[in-house]
Structures are given as structure tokens and as C-alpha cells.
Amino acid sequence: MTTISKDSVASRASVISKDFGELTLAFTDQFTFCWNDRSTGGSDYGGFWHPQPPEGFFALGSIVRKGWGTDNIQQLDGGSAGRLKEYTTALCVKPSAAGEKAVKSGKAKPQLAAPTGYERIWKDAKSGGKYYGCIWRPIAPAGYVPLGCVASPNTYDEPPTSAIMCVREDLTYLADLSASYSDRGTGATEDLSTWLNVTPSDYAATDDTLGLIAAGTFTAVPNHSRRPDPQRETRVLRLAMPIDEAVLGKPPALTDRNPPPPTTDEIIVASVWMPYTAVKDTARTDAWKFANSPFYQVQRTAAWRRLQYLNNDTGRDQPLSDVVTVGWEKGQTHGWSVNVGFEISTTNSLGTGPVSASTTFKFTAAFGATGSYSAKESSSHTKSRTFTVPSNHAGAMWVGHEKLRIVRADNTIVGSTLSCDTELFAYDQYPDD
């Protein structure tokens, strides 16, 4: 089974990390102040910070917020003006053990590479701002791409090439853009607009074991365009999902004439890990999620539910039958999706819904068919089965039953659990002759 590891980080709490294919992911809530538009007279509140990655990890780009601070990022000179009531984190990466092994064996090129330099996009000259602001686009080596721009920390100097890492291009995907900040009205001699790199909701996965993950970075352009064309840094991560799978096992059997239990024990037949930003969990704060559960699981459990039991002690054969509604009911799945932010499609794939712009996953492989146990259709319909219990025999019939749930790292469940019967039926009799 895949596990979450904790890396010791000097001078701060331990950081929870998770392997996603060739990269290990972790969040940081520590940042270096770069610039805000205080005293510029601009129409937006805007601030830029650069992540301080956990030990051994690397930042992928700076962050921008429509404000001069957040609950965990204090503005440079104190006060509460322009502060956002949110807890801000940024995604950081390092090669995973599997990634390092692939590189050493010659099966893959290094996952990360430092930029060779930067291209200046904007500086705040003549803005009247209290601080020096400058935004840079990383120049990546061949075969690599940057995932975001970099802000200088209260200086016009070019950042060091160690400030971020670029990512091997095949581990990324073209991002969608969401407007985040414009320096309109600041009076700066150069124009700037920034756009968050978000995951495209229409991602058509050719390999449904891969998911898209945004790093919280931004694209910058030297104008006030309503929506710019993609730039070099308009990218998100595309990584292998940590998927655990198991098989439900053989159907239950009658070993005597006693009624079998109402259900067999639940088995987790598939589970998929994802960053906490993929889940709608209003019962926990983002600060709690960062400290306790930066990664969540979607779990699919399976069991056999007893439908009918008959101890036929008569001298003639008797029928044993039942009618079951199998598959997900539309109203049930809609309510579950609203609560936790996931969607179940008509093709029985499970994926993130429109509530999250930081992740796009579609779990057809893990949740459409696992081993011998699968729900063949996502829309509900009825199925009937009839078996004959011979005279002087006991007979029982079962239906496969599955549940979907979102689980925090402490094994508590987010929202409600979604459950349904499947098309799997089983029958057994005692004695077996």
C-alpha cells in the first residue's frame, strides 16, 4: 500500500510529502516577501511572494495574491489593510525515489533542471510604490519548461537560477489561465497583468492514471490584456496518480444452514491520493489541512450484501428471487458531488468537478474496473435474479455493494459516503450436492 512520508525540516514542523510518479510533492506555508503595490494608487491590491521550500524540495515559481497579505503571510510593514482571509500554501517538488532510479538506469532524463537565466517582463519604475518590483520569466534548458514566473524580493536584480526548478516537459501540460492581478492605475511606465496557471477542466486524458496538478504559480505579460496567449510558463504538472488497488475476492459461501451475515467485511479495492486543494472540505480550515492532511484519498470499498436467504426444509424445490436497483442514482451523485467537489460521469469515471481549478483528475482506470469487481454503468437501473433452492437445502443470494468516500489523513470521512449496488450477483447453497 502507498504511504505518506514525513520529512524532517529544520526549524519548522515536519512536512508531509507524497510521491506522484517521478516527483515527490509537498506544500510550504513559508514565503519571502517580494513586492506589493502599496502607495501606487493602483486599482488592484496586489502582492508577490516567493515560496521557501522544505528541505530538499524546490520552488516552481512565485505566487501572486489580490492583497497585501494573508492569514499566514504578513505584509511587510504590518497592519491589516488589504489582507486576505485565507491560508496560503505553494506546491514544491523534488525527484521521487522511483524518478531517481529511472534516471540512474538511463530510462529517463532528470525530472528537474535549473533555468539558464531569466527574461525581464516588467518592473514598477515610476509607479510611486513603496517597494521595488520586478517580474521575470525563466529560460528553461531544452526539453524542460518553467511552471511560473519569478518575482524579485524588493529589488530590480535578476533572481538567481537556484530560485526555482524547471520541469521535464513530458511531466507537464498546457495550463488554463485565470486573471489574478493588473498594475492598471499605478502609473508605472510598463504595464503588467498576471494570470494564475490553473488546470483545464476539459482535460481529455489519454492515460487516465495521470492527473493535472497546478503549483499555484502564475503567467505574466507586459500588458493589460483581457486574456493573453499561453506563454512558456503557462504550465501545470501532469503526473502519475498514486493508486492502490486490490481485488474483492471470491463470493461468500454457505457452510451450514444458518443465515449468513447481512454483509461481508468491506475491502478497499481502489484508492487514489490527491492534494488537499482537489477536495471541497468545508469542515476543516486550510491551515489544518496543510498541517495535518495536505493529501486526501478517494477510496472505493466493496463488499457482498445479502439479498435473500431460504432454508428450504420442504419436499419440493422453491425459487429465491430479488429485484435490485444497481448503479449510481443521479440525485444521489449530484448531492455527493456538491458536498465534496467530485463528479461521476456517465462512463463511470470519477473526477474533480468545477469547484477546483488546482487539480483535474479522472479516475476511470481505478474506479471503473478493478479486478473482478466493477460497476458496469453509472446510471441506475434494475436487475432481477432468480435461483432455485432444492428441497432440503438452504440457499442464499448476494449482490456486490460498493461505496465511494473521501478520506482525510486521520481516516475521517469528508461529507457523506456514496453507495450503490452493482451488477454482480452470487448464489450458494448448502449442502453443495
Side-chain angles (χ1 to χ4, degrees), residues 3 7 12 15 42 53 71 73 117 145 166 168 187 199 206 232 244 256 290 318 321-322 335 341 349:
T3 59
D7 295 328
R12 75 178 75 156
V15 169
D71 274 357
I73 304 178
V145 292
C166 301
R168 205 176 68 215
T199 58
T206 55
R232 290 197 302 266
D244 296 327
D256 53 38
F290 167 76
Q318 292 193 27
S321 63
D322 208 313
S349 67

Side-chain angles (χ1 to χ4, degrees), residues 392-405:
N392 297 313
H393 285 68
M397 57 191 300
W398 297 263
V399 64
H401 188 77
E402 69 173 21
K403 295 179 181 179
L404 284 179
R405 60 194 184 197

